[in-house]
Amino acid sequence: MPLFQQAAFHTTVAHLRDLPTDAQCEVAFAGRSNSGKSSAINTLANHTRLAFVSKTPGRTQHLNYFRLAAGKYFVDLPGYGFAKAPEEIRAQWEGLLAPYLRYREALHGLVLIMDSRHPLTELDLQMLGWFAPTGKPIHVLLSKADKLTRQEQVLSLRQVQAVLKDVGGNCTCQLFSSLKKSGVGEAEAVLSRWLGLEISDEAPPIGLPSERTARQKKRSAIGWSARHGGDVDKH
């Protein structure tokens, strides 16, 4: 059973004064419009219509809260590729988003969705540079990975990882596909730690599948006595 399958819509927030007072831990999802943000939330929750998927930039104008457990929430932020939105709406978003991301104590981390075919846009870099000083972790989901070849996936992932090293040591990155349901386990492992939720299976390592396979083969090649008689890298 997916870790976040109990997710349910809780409330929509248009003003900071309306933020849930019972929140103990929140994970926010940000990304450009049409980056696959809503689809990623739906996939993690194993729900087809939990978060509204729209092809209209800036359709989500407020903070949408989804309850996972008592005091624990996913928060769907407005897409930030909203150049066509009226100036007053953009001002409203900025007035809501800026203080929320900078000062919300219950916010424990940011999931930044980037289209794996076009990562690290100017707005993506602005969001990274803006949120990183909070000291809270950032996890990048490179969405729509199924639309890339294996070689293109490797290049996209390593390109983003290189940039994240310059941003700070509190950033991680992975490939993700809502269509193929790939990368769900890796994302669950990261978000469960942020939220303080238990995950039944061993948390999968973050990285390329080929790299994980290589590590597994390396471990299996070590004899039983070596594995159990000495120090072992437990990741």
Side-chain angles (χ1 to χ4, degrees):
M1 175 177 174
L3 181 63
F4 305 118
Q5 189 160 315
Q6 299 301 318
F9 176 76
H10 179 69
T11 189
T12 294
V13 174
H15 303 284
L16 292 172
R17 63 177 179 271
D18 297 325
L19 291 170
T21 57
D22 70 328
Q24 303 169 9
C25 186
E26 300 171 0
V27 169
F29 288 74
R32 288 197 62 192
S33 298
N34 298 332
S35 64
K37 176 169 57 68
S38 296
S39 294
I41 295 174
N42 289 336
T43 298
L44 289 169
N46 196 30
H47 196 299
T48 57
R49 295 285 294 176
L50 182 67
F52 183 73
V53 179
S54 173
K55 295 183 178 180
T56 303
R59 181 66 178 269
T60 303
Q61 300 176 13
H62 305 128
L63 309 184
N64 289 317
Y65 271 73
F66 303 101
R67 186 180 184 276
L68 306 171
K72 301 180 188 293
Y73 296 96
F74 279 167
V75 184
D76 186 13
L77 306 183
Y80 51 76
F82 42 78
K84 295 182 180 179
E87 182 64 31
E88 61 270 20
I89 293 180
R90 280 186 285 172
Q92 176 189 0
W93 291 341
E94 292 165 2
L96 177 64
L97 283 177
Y100 171 77
L101 289 172
R102 280 295 181 92
Y103 306 116
R104 178 68 165 169
E105 291 186 5
L107 179 59
H108 282 206
L110 176 70
V111 179
L112 183 55
I113 314 297
M114 298 184 194
D115 188 327
S116 59
R117 300 168 297 177
H118 314 288
L120 302 171
T121 65
E122 181 179 352
L123 290 173
D124 292 330
L125 294 172
Q126 288 178 1
M127 178 62 77
L128 284 170
W130 188 50
F131 187 77
T134 67
K136 297 177 181 179
I138 301 171
H139 187 59
V140 175
L141 292 186
L142 292 174
S143 65
K144 307 180 184 181
D146 56 280
K147 298 183 181 297
L148 298 179
T149 66
R150 181 62 188 150
Q151 183 178 11
E152 289 171 339
Q153 290 178 1
V154 171
L155 292 174
S156 180
L157 180 63
R158 290 179 177 171
Q159 177 189 13
V160 176
Q161 287 174 331
V163 171
L164 293 180
K165 286 182 180 179
D166 294 331
V167 173
N170 219 10
C171 302
T172 50
C173 180
Q174 68 164 99
L175 294 163
F176 191 86
S177 170
S178 295
L179 180 64
K180 300 294 184 180
K181 303 294 189 295
S182 61
V184 173
E186 294 177 42
E188 284 184 342
V190 173
L191 303 187
S192 65
R193 290 194 296 269
W194 292 1
L195 292 160
L197 294 174
E198 294 185 0
I199 188 167
S200 58
D201 297 326
E202 180 183 355
I206 299 171
L208 293 166
S210 60
E211 294 171 348
R212 297 197 299 272
T213 301
R215 289 197 292 269
Q216 292 167 357
K217 288 182 178 179
K218 183 178 180 180
R219 289 198 301 270
S220 64
I222 301 174
W224 186 92
S225 60
R227 291 200 302 270
H228 295 268
D231 293 334
V232 179
D233 178 10
K234 296 182 180 178
H235 309 289

